[in-house]
Amino acid sequence: MIQLEKVTVRYPKANEDAIKNLSFTLNKGEFVCVLGRSGAGKSTFIRTINGLQPITAGSIQVLEKNYYDLRLEERRKLRSRIGMIFQHFHLIPRLTVRQNVLTGRFGKKKPFQNLLGLFTAEEKALVQHYIERVGLLPFADRKVEQLSGGQKQRVGIARSLMQEPDIFLGDEPVASLDPNTSRSIFRLLQSIHNEKKLVSVLNVHDVSLAKEFASRIIGLNKGEVVFDGTPSELNSKTYEMIYGSDEH
Amino acid sequence: MIWFRKRHLIYFVILILLTWISMDLTNFDLSKFIQLENMISFIQRSFIPPDWSILPFLLRESFVTLGMAFLGTVFALLIGIPLSFAAAHNTSRHYFSYQSVRFFLSGLRSVPEIVFGLIFVVVIGLGPFAAVLAILLHNIGVLGKLISELIEAADKGPQEAMKSVGATHRIGNLFSIIPQIWPNVLSHYFYRFEVAIRTSLVLGFVGGGGLGQQIFNQYQSFYYDGMAVSIIVIMVLVICVDMFGSYVRKRII
Ligand SMILES: Nc1ncnc2c1ncn2[C@@H]1O[C@H](COP(=O)(O)OP(=O)(O)O)[C@@H](O)[C@H]1O
Ligand SMILES: [Mg+2]
């Protein structure tokens, strides 16, 4: 579902590549965790998948489409099939949980329908369903500012679910949450993943979470893949390749 | 010299120098304040007691003044918001339109309302409509600029989230930015509304109608006890608008 071939990204004015020559295929049903020190290129990699980050070289095929062959409108449509959640949730302030979740639908509708809030009865039912799915039904009409971090991330997840995505991305989705909350968010992500048969790609810095939930782990170091395997293949040697010996 | 550097001393000297030059240029003369008694006796003689009989008339005129300030600023806000998206570097789509809208806004801003007012009074005739247009044009420039700065400072996160759900550029910006900046937009708006009330008074002096014109007429015909009532009405008006503005801001934030 996602194929990268020698994908390289270099930021303007940087004198090193943020990611170098990444090549691999991510298949339907894989729950991928990406590990690496900060600055290893994890965020950059995740963002190339939905085109938030343009690539400098190589090619990337997502859902049978080459992103860079598409016109702007088609890119937008493709992106609407890829859900993404963020470390700092990136919810829309002052709006309620329900309103925030509805914005997940924006990529599937015409601008004037979004502007005027013209959602179909099915869509309204879907919102209700997904708010319930993430366990926020009692908070559906609260403003998102009043929620805890874990609850905010659940709103983020529900918003992505409204996209009815084929791919789920997460850029350190639990990095601002406590360990218990993190685990419960991962459990939710995993059950949604299995239910909807997605490809999920999530950055984590907590190795134990990756070991517990991932079906595949990709380790990045200085923009290069240094590990690609199952959690059981992670050992102290591979661990050192990913994180290096010098702690910082 | 722990808290200050030598450079600060130079700034201080420059400041003193500028103050001194400005005093010279403006004939600043504290000794004239000795004539303060004159002013007090002038107020006592002419303003007191105010002629309350014209209050109902002035209240009607004050609605004209409020109307001018309101219409001018509300239209300025409605036109200024879309322009400000074009004038903010993170939401404008083309460098050329970005620069030209910014240039246009600063052009509008650089012309004081009184100058617009003088022109419109000639072009479209005496009366409040000329004043509304003058307030409108100047405030498009001011609000457009202020709001574009709010847009530039808005948190990028929600914008990224809207992009990643596949929202169009416009819808994404609208939803991710407006809710964030709305309280500050209102804050700027109410301040500009308050300023516009005072401006509309000055515009009244050049024939823009409303309370300002009444004050000017009263002044010219030595009808000082009527003018005293006008001044009181204005003060009450500005205080009320200010209180209403803070009430709305508190409700929203
Ligand atoms: N917007 C940017 N402009 C320039 N360099 C960047 C930018 N974002 C990230 N980088 C650089 O790219 C490299 C990879 O960053 P990132 O993908 O954010 O790593 P990670 O998410 O693993 O911490 C780092 O060296 C970082 O400094
Ligand atoms: Mg990162």
Side-chain angles (χ1 to χ4, degrees), chain A residues 199-232:
Chain A
V199 191
S200 298
V201 190
L202 307 162
N203 290 342
V204 266
H205 65 218
D206 181 347
V207 183
S208 65
L209 278 178
K211 277 186 162 165
E212 184 177 340
F213 291 95
S215 66
R216 176 173 172 185
I217 288 175
I218 291 176
L220 293 180
N221 193 339
K222 296 195 176 123
E224 286 176 290
V225 179
V226 291
F227 177 82
D228 185 356
T230 60
S232 57

Side-chain angles (χ1 to χ4, degrees), chain B:
Chain B
M1 299 289 263
I2 290 180
W3 309 125
F4 299 101
R5 296 156 188 264
K6 281 208 194 76
R7 197 153 37 88
H8 293 140
L9 197 70
I10 299 171
Y11 293 155
F12 185 68
V13 171
I14 292 175
L15 203 64
I16 296 283
L17 217 66
L18 286 177
T19 309
W20 185 72
I21 294 171
S22 307
M23 282 168 105
D24 193 48
L25 286 171
T26 56
N27 306 324
F28 192 85
D29 185 359
L30 277 181
S31 67
K32 286 200 177 140
F33 258 126
I34 298 173
Q35 299 159 5
L36 196 64
E37 290 161 36
N38 290 352
M39 186 165 152
I40 292 172
S41 78
F42 169 77
I43 289 176
Q44 273 174 347
R45 245 182 310 115
S46 354
F47 283 180
I48 297 175
D51 178 5
W52 291 106
S53 69
I54 60 159
L55 186 63
F57 170 69
L58 287 181
L59 284 180
R60 213 164 46 242
E61 287 300 301
S62 72
F63 281 115
V64 176
T65 294
L66 271 180
M68 284 193 265
F70 178 70
L71 264 193
T73 49
V74 149
F75 282 141
L77 186 67
L78 289 180
I79 300 169
I81 287 178
L83 286 179
S84 63
F85 275 90
H89 68 73
N90 54 336
T91 52
S92 71
R93 303 183 80 171
H94 309 286
Y95 185 74
F96 177 74
S97 67
Y98 163 72
Q99 286 296 352
S100 42
V101 173
R102 284 175 77 94
F103 183 76
F104 173 66
L105 291 178
S106 70
L108 286 180
R109 220 166 36 244
S110 66
V111 182
E113 284 111 328
I114 185 77
V115 174
F116 279 132
L118 287 169
I119 295 170
F120 285 128
V121 161
V122 175
V123 177
I124 63 171
L126 292 172
F129 185 52
V132 169
L133 289 182
I135 292 172
L136 170 63
L137 286 186
H138 182 78
N139 277 292
I140 290 174
V142 175
L143 288 171
K145 152 102 172 167
L146 290 173
I147 296 170
S148 74
E149 280 171 2
L150 294 177
I151 292 172
E152 286 174 356
D155 178 13
K156 303 277 176 292
Q159 299 171 47
E160 188 146 86
M162 286 300 97
K163 202 173 172 192
S164 71
V165 301
T168 58
H169 187 78
R170 281 208 186 88
I171 289 290
N173 282 337
L174 197 67
F175 276 82
S176 58
I177 293 174
I178 292 283
Q180 278 191 62
I181 65 172
W182 191 236
N184 289 327
V185 170
L186 278 188
S187 194
H188 285 315
Y189 171 76
F190 276 107
Y191 178 65
R192 292 311 302 176
F193 182 46
E194 198 190 305
V195 171
I197 289 176
R198 271 172 271 136
T199 309
S200 72
L201 299 176
V202 179
L203 289 169
F205 291 9
V206 299
L211 267 183
Q213 187 152 358
Q214 295 312 318
I215 293 187
F216 195 59
N217 293 346
Q218 290 157 351
Y219 177 74
Q220 284 200 314
S221 55
F222 306 104
Y223 180 28
Y224 291 128
D225 35 5
M227 193 172 152
V229 181
S230 301
I231 293 170
I232 293 170
V233 169
I234 289 165
M235 288 167 71
V236 172
L237 208 62
V238 171
I239 292 171
C240 286
V241 166
D242 184 46
M243 282 177 6
F244 180 69
S246 1
Y247 169 76
V248 170
R249 273 197 301 271
K250 276 210 197 81
R251 284 298 306 263
I252 288 208
I253 292 171

Side-chain angles (χ1 to χ4, degrees), chain A residues 115-133:
Chain A
L115 190 63
L116 301 176
L118 303 177
F119 294 97
T120 62
E122 294 90 78
E123 283 169 327
K124 286 177 187 160
L126 209 56
V127 172
Q128 191 74 5
H129 172 72
Y130 285 134
I131 292 176
E132 184 169 14
R133 181 72 184 78

Side-chain angles (χ1 to χ4, degrees), chain A residues 47 50-52 72-73 76 79-80 82 84 86 89-95 103-104 106-107 111 114-115 159 163, chain B residues 93 155-158 160-169 171-172 174-176 178-183 252-253:
Chain A
R47 294 155 53 87
N50 66 354
L52 284 183
L72 201 67
E73 195 62 10
R76 208 166 62 64
R79 202 176 272 148
S80 79
I82 307 172
M84 181 160 185
F86 305 86
F89 324 124
H90 294 354
L91 304 179
I92 294 177
R94 260 171 269 281
L95 297 191
T103 63
F106 278 1
N114 294 330
L115 190 63
R159 173 171 69 187
Q163 297 174 241
Chain B
R93 303 183 80 171
D155 178 13
K156 303 277 176 292
E160 188 146 86
M162 286 300 97
K163 202 173 172 192
S164 71
V165 301
T168 58
H169 187 78
I171 289 290
L174 197 67
F175 276 82
S176 58
I178 292 283
Q180 278 191 62
I181 65 172
W182 191 236
I252 288 208
I253 292 171

